[in-house]
């Protein structure tokens, strides 16, 4: 059974508290939730006052997908964190590209992870999928920096905090 709250709390730890870095395209954030997302969710106070409980509610309602529960905890956590960090389209692209690296039954990389994407992913060896997901996410971050040099300031933190290096190492077969 996947522990949704544990996974959400793991992402909350990665996101940290209040931030208003002028180079961060997200602008003002608290627990990784942008002001725009918070306002669209109905939050009216200053971002610094967003509570952890409110963040968990926003993450649960806007970013958690029932499909994540079909995977093991590592992949569910990975996909959720991607959804938070890259949006639904970015998470979908990372998943679809990863599937295509592992199977000749390619899925269309359209940024929409629907039934075909999820059912194809679930048929794959989950350890191999996890390794490829992390590799594709590395490429995703590097592409962000290629498109906008100002984002290079974040690359080390992204790779250090968002790629599950230890688990990838455990999954690689000798």
């Amino acid at each position: 059974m996947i522990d949704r709250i544990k996974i959400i709390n793991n992402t909350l730890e990665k996101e940290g508290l209040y931030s208003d870095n002028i180079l961060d395209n997200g602008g003002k954030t608290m627990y990784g939730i942008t002001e725009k997302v918070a306002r669209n969710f109905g939050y009216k106070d200053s971002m610094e006052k967003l509570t952890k409980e409110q963040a968990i509610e926003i993450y649960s309602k806007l970013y958690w997908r029932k499909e994540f529960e079909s995977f093991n905890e590592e992949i569910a956590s990975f996909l959720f964190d991607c959804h938070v960090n890259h949006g639904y389209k970015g998470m979908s692209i990372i998943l679809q590209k990863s599937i295509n690296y592992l199977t000749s039954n390619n899925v269309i990389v359209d940024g929409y992870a629907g039934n075909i994407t999820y059912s194809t992913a679930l048929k794959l060896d989950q350890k191999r999928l996890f390794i490829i997901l992390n590799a594709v996410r590395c490429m995703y971050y590097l592409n962000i920096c290629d498109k906008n040099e100002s984002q290079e300031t974040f690359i080390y933190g992204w790779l250090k905090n968002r790629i599950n290096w230890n688990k990838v190492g455990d999954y690689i077969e000798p």
Side-chain angles (χ1 to χ4, degrees):
M1 182 83 170
I2 298 295
D3 186 342
R4 177 181 49 85
I5 298 301
K6 176 183 169 188
I7 289 171
I8 290 172
N9 277 315
N10 185 28
T11 293
L12 283 171
E13 286 177 26
K14 293 175 188 177
E15 290 291 352
L17 298 174
Y18 180 75
S19 174
D20 189 13
N21 186 323
I22 60 170
L23 296 177
D24 185 347
N25 295 331
K28 294 178 184 177
T29 63
M30 182 65 157
Y31 297 112
I33 296 170
T34 65
E35 187 171 31
K36 179 180 178 184
V37 167
R39 300 287 180 245
N40 287 341
F41 193 76
Y43 181 74
K44 298 191 184 327
D45 214 336
S46 68
M47 287 306 292
E48 295 97 330
K49 293 182 180 180
L50 184 79
T51 67
K52 186 175 182 180
E53 292 72 26
Q54 290 169 314
I56 290 171
E57 181 182 6
I58 291 170
Y59 276 147
S60 293
K61 292 187 176 168
L62 299 182
Y63 295 98
W64 185 261
R65 298 188 59 84
K66 186 177 186 297
E67 293 88 352
F68 298 163
E69 297 170 18
S70 300
F71 293 96
N72 65 33
E73 191 159 315
E74 286 87 10
I75 292 177
S77 182
F78 178 94
L79 293 173
F80 172 75
D81 192 67
C82 278
H83 193 184
V84 168
N85 197 228
H86 309 300
Y88 177 74
K89 184 175 181 179
M91 179 273 301
S92 297
I93 288 170
I94 290 168
L95 177 59
Q96 291 166 334
K97 285 184 176 184
S98 297
I99 291 167
N100 287 344
Y101 282 118
L102 292 172
T103 180
S104 59
N105 297 325
N106 293 342
V107 297
I108 297 169
V109 179
D110 60 1
Y112 174 75
N115 291 336
I116 294 171
T117 297
Y118 287 114
S119 64
T120 303
L122 287 166
K123 292 175 189 169
L124 299 172
D125 179 289
Q126 298 300 283
K127 288 183 178 182
R128 289 176 182 232
L129 177 60
F130 185 75
I131 292 167
I132 298 299
L133 283 166
N134 279 276
V136 171
R137 193 174 194 187
C138 284
M139 292 188 310
Y140 192 91
Y141 284 125
L142 293 170
N143 285 333
I144 291 171
C145 293
D146 285 343
K147 292 176 184 172
N148 184 346
E149 281 185 20
S150 73
Q151 299 304 290
E152 290 174 2
T153 191
F154 302 114
I155 192 68
Y156 177 77
W158 288 337
L159 296 178
K160 177 178 163 264
N161 297 317
R162 300 294 183 165
I163 304 303
N164 195 330
W165 299 106
N166 291 334
K167 186 54 93 174
V168 167
D170 291 347
Y171 278 8
I172 295 178
E173 300 167 9

